Amino acid sequence: GAVVSQHPSWVICKSGTSVKIECRSLDFQATTMFWYRQFPKQSLMLMATSNEGSKATYEQGVEKDKFLINHASLTLSTLTVTSAHPEDSSFYICSASHRANQPQHFGDGTRLSIL
Amino acid sequence: GENVEQHPSTLSVQEGDSAVIKCTYSDSASNYFPWYKQELGKGPQLIIDIRSNVGEKKDQRIAVTLNKTAKHFSLHITETQPEDSAVYFCAASSGSGTYKYIFGTGTRLKVLA
């Protein structure tokens, strides 16, 4: 149980395009989803927290107009990187939690490469 | 601000030996402490967790201990196997608000066959 699916797993695109990443909880309802960014050989950096039906809460220094998050249902959250540039290249990982103070279950990440 | 320190950053052990990874947290309101294993190119996988009302928890070869007074918690892996090789992250959650995690910096464990 507690499976989180993330899609796509890998994407390469040209600078200036927008990229959407999906995060789905397959066998449970996720009241809260989290989006992280991870640089090579580094820890996970929380970007934002989203609760179903409400606006995402962004961490300090994360541009909300750059990283658009939508959590329209209890099983789906999306992260859209708008007008992506090479410095946005990274490993993006989502996690989902069934309810407050329950473990976060992670997807397998999306490797984003902007040329 | 809130911080979780993790040591060591790298750890090599012989197959069959034990491995110990230690974390220290700063926020005294933290009450939930999960450990994750991350293999190359994958997302973190929850391997064990502990809440602040418990001092120790064990699941087969894996155990976690918590010392609330000293604000540190440790992961113990016994009888290590090559497939235990991965990066391990500790985290602390305050249990309030959004229940977000503060992650440690990670430990790269290598089990030598």
Side-chain angles (χ1 to χ4, degrees):
Chain A
V3 179
V4 175
S5 174
Q6 195 171 333
H7 179 79
S9 57
W10 191 23
V11 59
I12 302 174
C13 61
K14 294 181 179 179
S15 184
T17 58
S18 293
V19 179
K20 179 184 281 189
I21 302 170
E22 290 189 349
C23 180
R24 293 181 185 272
S25 56
L26 298 186
D27 53 359
F28 66 102
Q29 292 185 327
T31 56
T32 307
M33 288 185 169
F34 302 83
W35 287 94
Y36 295 84
R37 184 172 180 175
Q38 187 176 34
F39 292 103
K41 296 188 178 182
Q42 293 192 24
S43 189
L44 288 82
M45 287 175 36
L46 180 65
M47 299 175 65
T49 304
S50 73
N51 292 294
E52 184 263 341
S54 60
K55 289 185 178 180
T57 301
Y58 290 81
E59 294 299 299
Q60 192 171 10
V62 178
E63 300 176 58
K64 60 181 180 181
D65 295 330
K66 174 76 170 177
F67 299 100
L68 301 179
I69 292 171
N70 183 279
H71 190 166
S73 77
L74 284 172
T75 60
L76 174 65
S77 177
T78 60
L79 167 67
T80 301
V81 184
T82 61
S83 187
H85 293 285
E87 58 266 28
D88 298 323
S89 298
S90 193
F91 193 50
Y92 292 88
I93 312 174
C94 72
S95 71
S97 178
H98 174 48
R99 58 177 186 269
N101 212 19
Q102 291 299 304
Q104 292 181 30
H105 300 283
F106 286 81
D108 270 342
T110 296
R111 186 160 303 284
L112 175 62
S113 296
I114 309 298
L115 304 177
Chain B
E2 301 162 4
N3 185 48
V4 175
E5 293 185 3
Q6 183 171 347
H7 298 281
S9 57
T10 60
L11 179 61
S12 292
V13 298
Q14 291 291 329
E15 182 178 1
D17 287 351
S18 295
V20 180
I21 303 170
K22 299 181 179 181
C23 288
T24 303
Y25 59 98
S26 61
D27 185 0
S28 57
S30 297
N31 61 6
Y32 175 66
F33 308 92
W35 284 90
Y36 287 86
K37 174 184 181 183
Q38 186 177 27
E39 297 178 337
L40 191 62
K42 299 279 190 179
Q45 178 184 12
L46 179 69
I47 56 172
I48 197 167
D49 57 5
I50 192 168
R51 297 190 184 272
S52 59
N53 58 346
V54 176
E56 183 174 357
K57 183 177 179 181
K58 188 174 182 180
D59 183 3
Q60 299 182 11
R61 296 187 296 111
I62 296 173
V64 56
T65 58
L66 171 65
N67 183 327
K68 284 192 297 182
T69 303
K71 291 192 226 171
H72 67 239
F73 56 112
S74 300
L75 177 71
H76 305 253
I77 305 175
T78 58
E79 300 172 23
T80 54
Q81 301 166 3
E83 50 265 38
D84 294 330
S85 297
V87 179
Y88 291 81
F89 290 99
C90 64
S93 174
S94 68
S96 61
T98 59
Y99 299 92
K100 63 184 183 183
Y101 290 172
I102 305 297
F103 275 96
T105 48
T107 297
R108 187 171 300 275
L109 173 65
K110 185 179 290 187
V111 179
L112 306 171

